[in-house]
Amino acid sequence: MAIAGSILALSMIAQSITGQLMGPPEAHSHFASRQGDLILLAQHLGTLHRLAQVCPQTREGDLYRDRMKQVIEGESPPRFTREAMIGAFNRGFRSASAEHYSCSRRAQQRLRNESFDALNVTERLYAPLRVRVDD
């Protein structure tokens, strides 16, 4: 249910974003996709923040909250994207809070899965920034 709501929110934001941009359609699409990935990353970070609290042996403390702040500072997203990112972070946190009260095997598995999913989103976000070196 939370994922379906997130997808709907992402699509509404993407439509809002593309309606406000000028330029070639492929630029609109890329911008909207990137903003959607930022929001998705924020949700993963919120979930990870809660899971790190219930599984303190990870010794990560506020790592994910700090990463969220760094992403917002580094990206300087438009106001509507920034607000959507903060909302997604909070949704991820609340969702994980409702499901995980202790560091069970299920919580540890979700921590691994969320970490992997967040890494995939991060790689997608930063792929265009990588310098390609021809051999």
Side-chain angles (χ1 to χ4, degrees):
M1 180 82 161
I3 293 174
S6 297
I7 292 171
L8 178 61
L10 290 174
S11 97
M12 289 171 48
I13 289 168
Q15 289 173 358
S16 170
I17 292 168
T18 55
Q20 296 176 19
L21 296 175
M22 297 177 69
E26 59 274 3
H28 294 217
S29 176
H30 176 73
F31 181 80
S33 175
R34 184 168 181 79
Q35 301 311 292
D37 278 343
L38 288 170
I39 295 163
L40 185 58
L41 177 60
Q43 185 162 343
H44 288 304
L45 291 173
T47 301
L48 288 165
H49 181 60
R50 175 58 183 159
L51 292 170
Q53 288 178 336
V54 297
C55 293
Q57 70 270 21
T58 60
R59 303 198 196 298
E60 292 169 342
D62 285 340
L63 172 72
Y64 299 107
R65 180 185 304 268
D66 294 342
R67 290 291 183 259
M68 173 69 179
K69 290 176 185 176
Q70 290 172 345
V71 170
I72 288 175
E73 287 173 14
E75 288 289 330
S76 298
R79 182 180 51 84
F80 49 85
T81 302
R82 182 182 185 279
E83 290 171 0
M85 289 172 70
I86 293 167
F89 181 93
N90 292 334
R91 274 191 310 281
F93 183 87
R94 283 191 304 270
S95 172
S97 294
E99 293 177 38
H100 303 285
Y101 304 106
S102 65
C103 191
S104 64
R105 275 192 226 161
R106 192 168 151 257
Q108 291 173 348
Q109 182 61 46
R110 185 161 181 203
L111 183 88
R112 285 188 292 275
N113 291 344
E114 289 289 332
S115 296
F116 182 74
D117 292 345
L119 177 61
N120 285 334
V121 174
T122 301
E123 288 177 349
R124 200 167 50 241
L125 280 164
Y126 294 101
L129 304 176
R130 289 196 182 103
V131 176
R132 295 183 186 199
V133 178
D134 294 331
D135 295 70

